[in-house]
Amino acid sequence: MKISLEQFRSSLYFSDRKFDQLNILLNQFQPRYNRCALIADPVVYKLYGDEVTKKLASSDLEVFPIIIPQSESCKTIEQACKCWEQLLSCGIDRNSLIVSLGGGATSDLTGFVASCYMRGVDVIHIPTTLLAMVDAAVGGKTGINTKDTKNLIGTIHHPRLVYITDHVLNSLPDREFYAGMAEIIKCAVVADASFFEELNNSTKQIISRDPHILQDIIYKTCAIKADIVKRDEKDKNIRAYLNYGHTFAHAIETLTKYNTFLHGEAVSIGMSCAAHTGVKLNTVDKYFVERQDELCKKFSLPIAFPEIDANMLIETMKRDKKSVSKKINLIIPQKIGKVIRAEDVKQQLILDAINDKKLEDAGERT
């Protein structure tokens, strides 16, 4: 069953009072939950674990913390199995709740674990990074990685609630904050030219983390995603537009073993690669590339092609979810606010686009 825009938005709750409203919202849920597993990495749990546990416990929930590794290293089938074993030992059943507290990797893993455990247990996401607020925690996609692919294994499992509070962004390192901006810029390029201009004009306020601006751009990004998801919940058609830049990005992350770039940084590079490919396909001109790259650079996002073999990148891209029979399908831009699907993009054309990009990158460095 497809979700409506209203249903999507109703799962989002924006709080300007940190975690104060969490127990109030839980008390409104029917039926009431009997117990809860709280999944977080050790750093996030140290920052917010006690506060969130107290709010959950005040709703008469017995809370069981499950600590997972940080970042992409947690997104493995082995870690998922460890979580399932701990859920079972804690007595988590179909009347229980699973809560994620953390960034995008935590949301991805927790959503996957919840979707499979007892064939589906309710999940709530409390994202603590900008990227998770606008991407991983919303839309229902879950995923884990294999040795050679990112997010190839996953499910669609919509959260009962996404509790967003910009207060947690105050403790977020600059690099993590800017990485989240890549997904926001992506949504603007994909679907809203006026939003793109707003991001350009509000750079200083965003960098200073003005709470009113942050709430506005987070909500607008989620609304863009909601509008696309409601028309293609199962990712069979236009939802692929939200993967703009991601075929390149996922391959870059895989080849650099997830320890060189944050996801948003890889997306920034991937969008630049996709834009250069668009130039080769005559869907956009160089001015488009300059505008997109300049906005990314305003938020200290990398755009230069990394020190990896372009042919290996192509081979990794062939294993992307959108590829069919090893034919590379890409989302490429047509203008600011509109992207299209390009099927069976030839390998040599992509290599030519990357070579052009490398020359431009070298020119900027000299």
Side-chain angles (χ1 to χ4, degrees):
M1 181 177 70
K2 291 188 176 182
I3 61 169
S4 67
L5 180 60
E6 290 71 26
Q7 286 173 314
F8 185 101
R9 284 178 172 166
S10 68
S11 73
L12 300 177
Y13 185 85
F14 293 82
S15 174
D16 57 3
R17 297 173 59 187
K18 210 169 184 181
F19 306 117
D20 290 357
Q21 304 298 309
L22 184 58
N23 60 325
I24 297 172
L25 294 170
L26 286 176
N27 290 337
Q28 296 172 356
F29 286 172
Q30 296 296 333
R32 299 284 291 275
Y33 300 108
N34 55 9
R35 58 188 62 197
C36 168
L38 177 63
I39 300 180
D41 71 51
V43 174
V44 173
Y45 189 81
K46 184 177 181 180
L47 284 171
Y48 305 116
D50 286 345
E51 287 182 79
V52 173
T53 296
K54 288 176 182 177
K55 288 297 177 183
L56 294 170
S58 67
S59 295
D60 297 325
L61 282 172
E62 192 174 4
V63 183
F64 300 91
I66 295 177
I67 307 302
I68 60 173
Q70 275 189 280
S71 65
E72 290 289 320
S73 62
C74 76
K75 290 173 54 176
T76 65
I77 191 64
E78 292 80 12
Q79 186 59 50
C81 287
K82 289 180 181 178
C83 288
W84 289 323
E85 290 168 359
Q86 291 181 73
L87 292 173
L88 187 61
S89 67
C90 295
I92 300 297
D93 57 30
R94 287 180 176 173
N95 294 320
S96 302
L97 175 68
I98 298 176
V99 177
S100 76
L101 176 67
T106 300
S107 300
D108 282 345
L109 173 70
T110 302
F112 179 74
V113 166
S115 71
C116 298
Y117 186 74
M118 296 190 174
R119 296 193 175 94
V121 174
D122 282 356
V123 65
I124 285 177
H125 295 309
I126 306 176
T128 59
T129 67
L130 182 59
L131 189 143
M133 291 176 185
V134 298
D135 185 38
V138 295
K141 278 189 178 181
T142 78
I144 56 173
N145 304 329
T146 67
K147 182 173 71 73
D148 298 318
T149 59
K150 175 165 178 168
N151 290 345
L152 191 67
I153 311 300
T155 60
I156 302 290
H157 187 60
H158 288 286
R160 185 78 186 273
L161 172 71
V162 181
Y163 189 94
I164 296 174
T165 173
D166 60 89
H167 284 269
V168 297
L169 298 179
N170 293 328
S171 64
L172 197 64
D174 286 345
R175 186 184 174 196
E176 291 272 2
F177 179 79
Y178 296 142
M181 285 304 303
E183 289 286 353
I184 293 173
I185 294 169
K186 175 207 72 178
C187 281
V189 173
V190 165
D192 194 333
S194 63
F195 187 33
F196 185 91
E197 294 304 327
E198 180 183 338
L199 295 174
N200 251 318
N201 297 331
S202 304
T203 305
K204 289 183 179 179
Q205 296 97 310
I206 295 170
I207 290 174
S208 66
R209 308 194 194 189
D210 179 289
H212 300 294
I213 292 291
L214 288 182
Q215 289 171 19
D216 180 62
I217 66 172
I218 291 169
Y219 185 83
K220 285 179 178 176
T221 305
C222 290
I224 289 170
K225 189 165 186 176
D227 186 54
I228 293 174
V229 170
K230 72 163 186 174
R231 290 181 280 158
D232 182 24
E233 182 191 5
K234 298 298 183 181
D235 203 11
K236 302 296 184 183
N237 190 4
I238 65 168
R239 187 166 180 171
Y241 292 171
L242 294 170
N243 282 327
Y244 173 58
H246 282 57
T247 301
F248 288 98
H250 287 169
I252 289 168
E253 289 179 274
T254 299
L255 290 173
T256 55
K257 308 299 182 185
Y258 305 106
N259 60 18
T260 302
F261 300 103
L262 298 176
H263 175 64
E265 293 172 338
V267 168
S268 177
I269 299 169
M271 288 193 295
S272 187
C273 290
H276 277 85
T277 305
V279 172
K280 287 294 182 184
L281 290 169
N282 296 315
T283 63
V284 291
D285 57 20
K286 288 289 184 69
Y287 180 58
F288 174 94
V289 180
E290 291 172 7
R291 292 186 69 201
Q292 180 183 270
D293 284 355
E294 284 304 314
L295 182 55
C296 287
K297 287 191 290 185
K298 283 185 177 182
F299 296 103
S300 302
L301 287 164
I303 59 168
F305 194 80
E307 294 294 325
I308 57 177
D309 183 270
N311 288 292
M312 289 182 64
L313 183 84
I314 296 288
E315 291 305 311
T316 306
M317 288 169 67
K318 289 178 181 178
R319 296 192 288 270
D320 183 79
K321 297 186 291 297
K322 293 182 294 301
S323 298
V324 178
S325 300
K326 293 192 175 182
K327 295 178 180 179
I328 298 175
N329 300 325
L330 294 174
I331 306 303
I332 58 170
Q334 196 169 48
K335 60 181 180 179
I336 299 294
K338 185 176 182 180
V339 294
I340 57 176
R341 188 185 184 104
E343 297 188 352
D344 192 14
V345 182
K346 300 306 178 186
Q347 178 173 327
Q348 189 57 52
L349 185 142
I350 298 172
L351 288 172
D352 290 344
I354 290 173
N355 285 331
D356 284 355
K357 175 169 173 48
K358 285 181 176 180
L359 288 173
E360 287 190 13
D361 295 342
E364 285 202 0
R365 287 194 294 268
T366 57

